[in-house]
Amino acid sequence: AQKITQTQPGMFVQEKEAVTLDCTYDTSDPSYGLFWYKQPSSGEMIFLIYQGSYDQQNATEGRYSLNFQKARKSANLVISASQLGDSAMYFCAMREGRGSTLGRLYFGRGTQLTVWP
Amino acid sequence: DTEVTQTPKHLVMGMTNKKSLKCEQHMGHRAMYWYKQKAKKPPELMFVYSYEKLSINESVPSRFSPECPNSSLLNLHLHALQPEDSALYLCASSQPWENTGELFFGEGSRLTVL
């Protein structure tokens, strides 16, 4: 079974609008971390936001927020006020185990976001 | 600007060549990683070094040989590669003990094998 599922291969949003990128995960480990990375065409993977399994509040970082629904095992990324520079591939990822030292990240297949003027 | 620097950014090599990819970070991280990413696919873990020792080898063919000369440097030596090895190779680093486990990635080395 896939650990991370991203069901939206592509998403389109108009500039200044909000967009939600879906992510569901599968784990039996009570301790895990969820990450979102952005990958522009240049190739660099840019860390956006992190949510720990024990965190009570949804994570927020500027225009990025993570809608964490633990019972549904979903960790959707919400980008508010989209900008043209947000056009990129977005990956959801998960690390299992508290304090894992090995950084083994399980990635979803990604969602290609296109922001149009 | 990324704090993980990879060189070269682009590499074209024949199947009989020997080349190396280099990665450098100065964030004091003690875990470093190599990932391989094919077009339109997620990154796949290849190797993990923790405190300069190889911790994980994800059954990578021996034509890929990693090396970690010190805590700031990570190399990937390439020999007798196949065309299907053409991909983006991403280096990453992190602090092994941080619970968030956030990985900092470089911009990658785009490899083409002819």
Side-chain angles (χ1 to χ4, degrees):
Chain A
Q2 282 196 343
K3 295 252 183 209
I4 295 286
T5 302
Q6 294 179 255
T7 57
Q8 306 155 316
M11 287 287 285
F12 294 85
V13 65
Q14 190 171 22
E15 201 177 6
K16 299 189 178 68
E17 296 294 311
V19 63
T20 298
L21 306 184
D22 294 342
C23 173
T24 58
Y25 59 93
D26 182 28
T27 182
S28 56
D29 192 329
S31 175
Y32 53 89
L34 297 158
F35 304 79
W36 278 93
Y37 281 87
K38 170 186 177 182
Q39 188 176 39
S41 56
S42 61
E44 182 188 0
M45 296 284 281
I46 302 167
F47 166 75
L48 296 178
I49 198 166
Y50 165 81
Q51 180 85 41
S53 59
Y54 296 112
D55 293 343
Q56 297 295 316
Q57 307 270 4
N58 285 346
T60 60
E61 288 286 349
R63 294 186 299 111
Y64 304 108
S65 60
L66 199 152
N67 184 359
F68 182 46
Q69 297 187 45
K70 197 169 182 177
R72 297 180 60 187
K73 293 190 173 178
S74 75
N76 299 339
L77 177 70
V78 180
I79 305 175
S80 63
S82 297
Q83 301 172 357
L84 296 178
D86 293 335
S87 293
M89 181 72 85
Y90 288 79
F91 289 101
C92 180
M94 178 177 68
R95 172 185 57 79
E96 293 172 313
R98 182 187 292 276
S100 167
T101 63
L102 298 177
R104 187 193 296 268
L105 288 180
Y106 299 96
F107 284 91
R109 299 175 80 86
T111 296
Q112 180 70 46
L113 176 66
T114 302
V115 181
W116 50 284
Chain B
D1 287 342
T2 180
E3 296 180 83
V4 178
T5 304
Q6 291 188 241
T7 56
K9 289 195 175 0
H10 298 274
L11 178 63
V12 179
M13 60 186 291
M15 288 190 285
T16 58
N17 292 156
K18 282 186 182 181
K19 297 286 185 183
S20 297
L21 305 180
K22 297 184 187 304
C23 175
E24 188 168 6
Q25 57 88 11
H26 294 289
M27 294 179 282
H29 290 166
R30 301 304 299 276
M32 295 187 76
Y33 315 81
W34 280 115
Y35 280 82
K36 173 183 177 181
Q37 186 178 24
K38 302 284 276 185
K40 307 292 186 188
K41 300 288 187 184
E44 299 173 359
L45 183 63
M46 300 175 72
F47 303 104
V48 181
Y49 274 83
S50 183
Y51 297 96
E52 295 86 70
K53 294 197 186 312
L54 183 64
S55 300
I56 293 179
N57 176 344
E58 292 283 87
S59 302
V60 178
S62 59
R63 57 185 184 268
F64 295 92
S65 174
E67 178 196 20
C68 189
N70 60 55
S71 60
S72 300
L73 293 174
L74 184 66
N75 298 322
L76 186 63
H77 303 297
L78 314 171
H79 173 55
L81 295 193
Q82 304 296 311
E84 59 266 27
D85 296 322
S86 298
L88 179 69
Y89 288 84
L90 291 162
C91 174
S93 70
S94 75
Q95 289 294 22
W97 55 82
E98 283 186 354
N99 285 341
T100 63
E102 174 195 340
L103 270 63
F104 292 81
F105 284 86
E107 291 187 3
S109 293
R110 207 168 289 274
L111 172 67
T112 302
V113 181
L114 300 177

